[in-house]
Amino acid sequence: MTDPTDVAPSTTPTEPRSLVIDNIGSLITNDPETGRGPLGIVEDASVVIVGGVVEHVGPAGAVADVCIDADGACVLPGFVDSHTHLVFAGDRAQEFTARMAGQLYDGGGIRVTTEATRGTPTHELDRLVRQRLAEAHRAGTTTIEIKSGYGLNVVDEVRSVEIAQAHTTETTYLGAHLLPAEFAGRPDDYIHLVCNEMLDAAAPHSKWIDAFCEVGAFDVDQSRAVLEAGRAAGLGLRLHGNQLGHGPGVQLAVECGCASVDHCTYLTDRDIESLAGSDTVATFLPAADFSTRQPYADARRVIEAGATVALASNCNPGSSYTTSISFCIALAVREMNMTIDEAIQAVTIGGAAALQRTDVGRLAPGSAGHAVILDAPTHHHLAYRPGVPLIRRTIGPLGDVQLAC
Ligand code: NIG
């Protein structure tokens, strides 16, 4: 998902062909200057895209070289999935099954996936990533962040970010995901490796650095050391925090100026105040809470405090094996006290904010022409009809994907 979309290839090198999505019943632009309310809704609309960029939003009936007829359906910006762990081999269905029978999730299964990933050839890992990306794209995702974190040694972490880099600009080095078995009892030695030799080799392929700041993973000082080393290497900062219990993750993320702190399942009033007074986005991952039987975060409190929020899939084989942003929307609305409009914003401009992007997550003049056509008249159906494949067509960096109907 690296390049801007040009669904209509150029006839000449200088003049890209234009595309219109016409007869849109309800268009979400996320631009209050273009349409009504915070979602910038325009009814009976058309969007003209030239060279992968939105050129014009207006009434239905616009003309272009290529026309896609939305036939009265809702069209919204492609989803921005700001948190995934797509580079892995194997699955952990047995662990999930045991959890559904009462076992607790503690993140320890990361080592199982690390063993499987280390033992898988690069071409096969790349094939698995492509397969998951195609699945995500069919489900409406057009911008995606991909982390390493199942290599946990220099060779396999670098291999992971290299594979990610072949598919997205939003690559994250997560060497500090968990202490690998060979470093048992020597966490400081491992953190030294993560902050030095491993970082030097991974940084050229990474935009971001991340750490798992949680009891059982890395403590606040170890996580801070990783973030500071990443900053010194020129990487942007993100953090996993407050997933399995209250902890220092949110405070550390705000202190370090992270773009995003992800999970945020357990938040104190002080955490919420800190997020609201910062530029750090609170990214919720409700599919992980679903799959690990954690409580859901109360997003209402965070939104009302004034913090920016995002929702992401967290696709990984342990805590959240889904690429479905529609599923996350439905969970957020039903379980996290978000309105449908807030959930839609959280998976579009919220995800873009978590990645510090302004070119995606909107469908207004000048933004990327990444769009989702629903099999539904309004965006409300994404929460109202859970589990139903409502993404009729995704227009984005992987091309134009149409669900056979
Ligand atoms: O975001 N929390 C840490 N990392 C992943 C889980 C990884 C796994 O269990 O394999 C997460 O939930």
Side-chain angles (χ1 to χ4, degrees):
M1 299 199 182
T2 317
D3 300 313
T5 316
D6 187 353
V7 286
S10 307
T11 44
T12 69
T14 49
E15 269 187 52
R17 292 174 75 203
S18 56
L19 165 81
V20 61
I21 309 175
D22 198 11
N23 293 324
I24 300 170
S26 173
L27 170 69
I28 310 294
T29 66
N30 276 335
D31 180 11
E33 288 183 10
T34 302
R36 177 170 48 81
L39 290 182
I41 298 177
V42 186
E43 266 114 25
D44 300 318
S46 63
V47 179
V48 177
I49 300 167
V50 181
V53 175
V54 175
E55 188 181 77
H56 181 70
V57 173
V63 175
D65 299 324
V66 177
C67 178
I68 295 175
D69 188 345
D71 201 19
C74 175
V75 171
L76 57 161
F79 301 139
V80 180
D81 191 348
S82 61
H83 184 132
T84 80
H85 303 251
L86 293 195
V87 190
F88 64 86
D91 69 40
R92 307 215 310 263
Q94 280 184 344
E95 179 190 312
F96 176 79
T97 306
R99 205 154 57 234
M100 293 305 108
Q103 270 194 19
L104 290 180
Y105 175 81
D106 65 0
I110 291 169
R111 291 195 188 93
V112 174
T113 302
T114 298
E115 215 178 302
T117 304
R118 287 177 179 176
T120 300
T122 303
H123 66 85
E124 173 60 7
L125 273 180
D126 185 66
R127 189 191 66 79
L128 291 167
V129 171
R130 275 176 205 278
Q131 201 173 55
R132 292 167 192 143
L133 279 171
E135 179 183 285
H137 196 68
R138 277 196 303 276
T141 294
T142 51
T143 302
I144 198 160
E145 181 262 12
I146 304 180
K147 300 176 198 301
S148 66
Y150 294 113
L152 308 186
N153 60 32
V154 176
V155 168
D156 292 297
E157 279 298 304
V158 172
R159 202 162 70 106
S160 300
V161 281
E162 274 178 336
I163 292 170
Q165 192 184 30
H167 303 288
T168 184
T169 53
E170 304 298 338
T171 54
T172 302
Y173 162 51
L174 179 58
H177 199 186
L178 201 74
L179 191 66
E182 62 273 20
F183 277 83
R186 296 186 296 128
D188 291 340
D189 291 349
Y190 183 64
I191 288 294
H192 187 269
L193 178 69
V194 167
C195 294
N196 292 281
E197 189 189 339
M198 199 186 280
L199 171 62
D200 292 345
H205 311 288
S206 309
K207 177 171 173 185
W208 304 98
I209 192 164
D210 195 346
F212 185 14
C213 181
E214 196 81 35
V215 173
F218 297 103
D219 68 21
V220 67
D221 292 330
Q222 292 161 341
S223 302
R224 185 185 288 109
V226 171
L227 295 178
E228 282 173 359
R231 191 204 310 279
L235 303 184
L237 313 183
R238 343 186 46 78
L239 191 67
H240 283 64
N242 303 59
Q243 174 182 4
L244 304 175
H246 290 290
V250 166
Q251 296 300 331
L252 177 65
V254 170
E255 170 199 319
C256 292
C258 288
S260 176
V261 55
D262 298 35
H263 282 286
C264 294
T265 302
Y266 293 88
L267 297 178
T268 62
D269 289 346
R270 181 166 166 257
D271 291 334
I272 294 174
E273 261 172 52
S274 300
L275 285 166
S278 78
D279 291 330
T280 300
V281 174
T283 299
F284 299 113
L285 310 171
D289 302 323
F290 173 88
S291 293
T292 58
R293 289 200 195 278
Q294 291 287 316
Y296 292 96
D298 185 358
R300 181 88 265 117
R301 287 166 65 214
V302 183
I303 291 168
E304 275 171 12
T308 305
V309 303
L311 281 166
S313 74
N314 188 18
C315 182
N316 76 75
S319 68
S320 184
Y321 201 178
T322 181
T323 51
S324 174
I325 291 291
S326 302
F327 177 55
C328 299
I329 292 171
L331 286 179
V333 171
R334 173 64 179 82
E335 304 288 351
M336 294 169 56
N337 302 313
M338 289 175 85
T339 66
I340 299 174
D341 287 13
E342 286 165 350
I344 296 295
Q345 285 184 304
V347 299
T348 50
I349 36 173
L355 297 173
Q356 299 186 329
R357 298 271 299 265
T358 53
D359 58 327
V360 293
R362 299 184 309 131
L363 272 176
S367 64
H370 300 170
V372 168
I373 304 178
L374 298 185
D375 252 331
T378 71
H379 60 286
H380 305 105
H381 286 236
L382 285 168
Y384 168 50
R385 305 198 64 214
V388 178
L390 290 184
I391 311 299
R392 184 197 300 169
R393 197 158 180 167
T394 306
I395 298 159
L398 288 185
D400 181 9
V401 176
Q402 186 168 16
L403 205 68
C405 25

